[in-house]
Amino acid sequence: MKKILYSCVAILSVVGFIIYGFISAPKVIHVNQQIEVTAYKVEDRSFSKKVLISLSGVFDEKSESYLGKLTVNGKEYMNCSLDPKFAMVQCSEVGNEKPPRDHLGMVVANEDFSKWSLKVGPSDQNENNLYTVLNQGSTTTDDIILSIPDTDRDSSLRAFDELMQHHVVELKQSFK
């Protein structure tokens, strides 16, 4: 009788560990997508440029971040981490994949990732910088905003502001 009881306890323990493993394992979604959006500058109302963004990597549901390759208007970045929880976009340029990764901008998103915005600032302009790629020869130096869904300038900038306010509220709550 003890042998049967010990066997049942052992079997239930193994089944429990297997179920726990499936529940706690990272859940990743493979992403291979191209998105066309419009880039707008915050202050320069005349700036409006079409941008083709390609993502090739994985989205980790557990950490709510994207890891992989990012291509913006043909400019490739490797080892990218788009992490809305910390509002950071970090990548390595092709040919220079060594750490540390470059900070390319700020990304914010809503809970279900149906809306997200990317802000790229004019700091550290150089020929390989994402800002330079997006600025495309414009003479004004101003933050560039890209938002999904992409409708028009005002809704894109408003979406960034709303998502940024939501991010700040969540950040404050996480420190309590």
Side-chain angles (χ1 to χ4, degrees):
M1 187 69 170
K2 282 185 177 182
K3 219 177 207 183
I4 294 173
L5 181 62
Y6 288 138
S7 296
C8 288
V9 168
I11 290 171
L12 287 174
S13 296
V14 169
V15 169
F17 281 123
I18 291 172
I19 291 171
Y20 174 76
F22 278 111
I23 291 171
S24 65
K27 294 166 182 67
V28 295
I29 299 168
H30 291 275
V31 177
N32 193 3
Q33 187 173 8
Q34 285 191 343
I35 307 162
E36 186 175 89
V37 297
T38 305
Y40 301 101
K41 285 192 176 181
V42 175
E43 299 294 327
D44 183 358
R45 296 191 68 78
S46 66
F47 185 89
S48 172
K49 306 280 183 177
K50 289 291 183 190
V51 177
L52 182 63
I53 299 173
S54 298
L55 300 169
S56 180
V58 295
F59 178 77
D60 182 357
E61 285 185 336
K62 199 167 201 167
S63 68
E64 296 181 338
S65 63
Y66 166 82
L67 302 169
K69 182 175 148 183
L70 170 70
T71 307
V72 180
N73 284 351
K75 176 73 175 164
E76 290 185 355
Y77 298 94
M78 304 298 291
N79 304 322
C80 292
S81 171
L82 281 75
D83 191 344
K85 188 180 284 184
F86 297 106
M88 290 179 21
V89 178
Q90 292 182 315
C91 295
S92 300
E93 291 183 43
V94 172
N96 186 23
E97 287 88 5
K98 299 178 288 193
R101 294 184 284 194
D102 294 325
H103 177 76
L104 297 183
M106 176 183 285
V107 64
V108 287
N110 65 355
E111 290 85 14
D112 65 358
F113 292 90
S114 61
K115 290 183 181 181
W116 65 268
S117 288
L118 171 67
K119 180 183 94 166
V120 181
S123 60
D124 303 322
Q125 289 187 60
N126 63 47
E127 62 191 50
N128 296 319
N129 185 290
L130 180 58
Y131 184 83
T132 305
V133 171
L134 293 173
N135 199 31
Q136 298 178 359
S138 174
T139 57
T140 59
T141 54
D142 188 8
D143 289 341
I144 297 174
I145 305 291
L146 300 97
S147 293
I148 294 179
D150 180 24
T151 53
D152 61 25
R153 181 184 189 284
D154 291 335
S155 65
S156 182
L157 298 178
R158 189 171 37 256
F160 175 75
D161 288 339
E162 290 170 1
L163 292 170
M164 193 63 202
Q165 288 174 3
H166 179 72
H167 172 72
V168 168
V169 167
E170 282 186 349
L171 199 58
K172 285 180 181 178
Q173 289 176 347
S174 69
F175 284 118
K176 288 184 179 180

